[in-house]
mmCIF file of all heavy atoms in Angstrom:
data_model
loop_
_atom_site.group_PDB
_atom_site.id
_atom_site.type_symbol
_atom_site.label_atom_id
_atom_site.label_comp_id
_atom_site.label_asym_id
_atom_site.label_seq_id
_atom_site.Cartn_x
_atom_site.Cartn_y
_atom_site.Cartn_z
ATOM 1 N N TYR S 1185 -4.380 7.598 21.181
ATOM 2 C CA TYR S 1185 -5.105 7.660 22.479
ATOM 3 C C TYR S 1185 -6.567 7.485 22.197
ATOM 4 O O TYR S 1185 -7.305 6.799 22.905
ATOM 5 C CB TYR S 1185 -4.839 9.057 23.054
ATOM 6 C CG TYR S 1185 -5.530 9.156 24.371
ATOM 7 C CD1 TYR S 1185 -5.057 8.604 25.551
ATOM 8 C CD2 TYR S 1185 -6.653 9.954 24.542
ATOM 9 C CE1 TYR S 1185 -5.764 8.712 26.756
ATOM 10 C CE2 TYR S 1185 -7.415 10.195 25.678
ATOM 11 C CZ TYR S 1185 -6.929 9.371 26.742
ATOM 12 O OH TYR S 1185 -7.641 9.518 27.848
ATOM 13 N N ALA S 1186 -7.202 8.226 21.192
ATOM 14 C CA ALA S 1186 -8.553 8.262 20.860
ATOM 15 C C ALA S 1186 -9.023 6.795 20.580
ATOM 16 O O ALA S 1186 -10.154 6.384 20.901
ATOM 17 C CB ALA S 1186 -8.877 9.163 19.805
ATOM 18 N N ARG S 1187 -8.219 6.103 19.824
ATOM 19 C CA ARG S 1187 -8.653 4.719 19.285
ATOM 20 C C ARG S 1187 -8.433 3.579 20.194
ATOM 21 O O ARG S 1187 -9.147 2.626 20.119
ATOM 22 C CB ARG S 1187 -8.074 4.471 17.847
ATOM 23 C CG ARG S 1187 -8.398 5.669 16.884
ATOM 24 C CD ARG S 1187 -7.870 5.323 15.637
ATOM 25 N NE ARG S 1187 -8.547 4.117 14.896
ATOM 26 C CZ ARG S 1187 -9.801 4.060 14.521
ATOM 27 N NH1 ARG S 1187 -10.574 5.159 14.830
ATOM 28 N NH2 ARG S 1187 -10.327 2.994 14.091
ATOM 29 N N ALA S 1188 -7.319 3.712 21.037
ATOM 30 C CA ALA S 1188 -6.910 2.494 21.812
ATOM 31 C C ALA S 1188 -6.562 2.949 23.247
ATOM 32 O O ALA S 1188 -6.220 1.937 24.034
ATOM 33 C CB ALA S 1188 -5.723 1.738 21.077
ATOM 34 N N GLY S 1189 -6.490 4.220 23.510
ATOM 35 C CA GLY S 1189 -6.038 4.534 24.917
ATOM 36 C C GLY S 1189 -4.501 4.720 24.964
ATOM 37 O O GLY S 1189 -4.082 4.929 26.143
ATOM 38 N N ALA S 1190 -3.749 4.631 23.985
ATOM 39 C CA ALA S 1190 -2.285 4.734 24.084
ATOM 40 C C ALA S 1190 -1.924 6.103 24.320
ATOM 41 O O ALA S 1190 -2.486 7.107 23.953
ATOM 42 C CB ALA S 1190 -1.650 4.374 22.762
ATOM 43 N N GLU S 1191 -0.935 6.222 25.283
ATOM 44 C CA GLU S 1191 -0.543 7.501 25.732
ATOM 45 C C GLU S 1191 0.831 7.914 25.399
ATOM 46 O O GLU S 1191 1.217 9.084 25.296
ATOM 47 C CB GLU S 1191 -0.550 7.550 27.388
ATOM 48 C CG GLU S 1191 -1.956 7.473 27.854
ATOM 49 C CD GLU S 1191 -2.021 7.420 29.402
ATOM 50 O OE1 GLU S 1191 -0.949 7.724 30.059
ATOM 51 O OE2 GLU S 1191 -3.055 7.028 30.010
ATOM 52 N N LYS S 1192 1.745 6.931 24.983
ATOM 53 C CA LYS S 1192 3.089 7.305 24.673
ATOM 54 C C LYS S 1192 3.615 6.952 23.193
ATOM 55 O O LYS S 1192 4.661 7.247 22.882
ATOM 56 C CB LYS S 1192 4.075 6.602 25.707
ATOM 57 C CG LYS S 1192 3.880 7.244 27.104
ATOM 58 C CD LYS S 1192 4.730 6.395 28.140
ATOM 59 C CE LYS S 1192 4.373 6.913 29.527
ATOM 60 N NZ LYS S 1192 5.125 6.145 30.432
ATOM 61 N N ILE S 1193 2.658 6.176 22.541
ATOM 62 C CA ILE S 1193 3.059 5.829 21.218
ATOM 63 C C ILE S 1193 1.912 5.938 20.264
ATOM 64 O O ILE S 1193 0.836 6.188 20.625
ATOM 65 C CB ILE S 1193 3.481 4.277 21.219
ATOM 66 C CG1 ILE S 1193 2.298 3.306 21.474
ATOM 67 C CG2 ILE S 1193 4.774 4.043 21.891
ATOM 68 C CD1 ILE S 1193 2.545 1.867 21.261
ATOM 69 N N TRP S 1194 2.311 5.996 18.946
ATOM 70 C CA TRP S 1194 1.293 6.165 17.786
ATOM 71 C C TRP S 1194 1.780 5.075 16.827
ATOM 72 O O TRP S 1194 2.961 4.880 16.662
ATOM 73 C CB TRP S 1194 1.425 7.474 17.101
ATOM 74 C CG TRP S 1194 0.578 7.682 16.053
ATOM 75 C CD1 TRP S 1194 -0.673 8.467 16.076
ATOM 76 C CD2 TRP S 1194 0.633 7.336 14.689
ATOM 77 N NE1 TRP S 1194 -1.214 8.483 14.945
ATOM 78 C CE2 TRP S 1194 -0.476 7.857 14.044
ATOM 79 C CE3 TRP S 1194 1.588 6.661 14.029
ATOM 80 C CZ2 TRP S 1194 -0.670 7.565 12.725
ATOM 81 C CZ3 TRP S 1194 1.431 6.403 12.626
ATOM 82 C CH2 TRP S 1194 0.290 6.934 11.979
ATOM 83 N N ALA S 1195 0.733 4.368 16.224
ATOM 84 C CA ALA S 1195 1.167 3.311 15.182
ATOM 85 C C ALA S 1195 -0.022 3.374 14.146
ATOM 86 O O ALA S 1195 -1.083 3.726 14.425
ATOM 87 C CB ALA S 1195 1.205 1.905 15.813
ATOM 88 N N GLY S 1196 0.449 3.124 12.910
ATOM 89 C CA GLY S 1196 -0.477 3.265 11.788
ATOM 90 C C GLY S 1196 0.179 2.539 10.515
ATOM 91 O O GLY S 1196 1.169 1.901 10.646
ATOM 92 N N THR S 1197 -0.348 2.817 9.409
ATOM 93 C CA THR S 1197 0.087 2.288 8.144
ATOM 94 C C THR S 1197 0.518 3.362 7.225
ATOM 95 O O THR S 1197 0.032 4.481 7.394
ATOM 96 C CB THR S 1197 -0.919 1.294 7.496
ATOM 97 O OG1 THR S 1197 -2.053 2.116 7.212
ATOM 98 C CG2 THR S 1197 -1.217 0.200 8.274
ATOM 99 N N VAL S 1198 1.400 3.195 6.243
ATOM 100 C CA VAL S 1198 1.760 4.030 5.284
ATOM 101 C C VAL S 1198 1.759 3.328 3.973
ATOM 102 O O VAL S 1198 2.362 2.154 3.860
ATOM 103 C CB VAL S 1198 3.208 4.641 5.573
ATOM 104 C CG1 VAL S 1198 3.569 5.626 4.527
ATOM 105 C CG2 VAL S 1198 3.193 5.360 6.880
#
Side-chain angles (χ1 to χ4, degrees):
Y1185 181 77
R1187 304 187 61 69
E1191 295 180 12
K1192 298 177 184 176
I1193 62 170
W1194 182 99
T1197 61
V1198 176

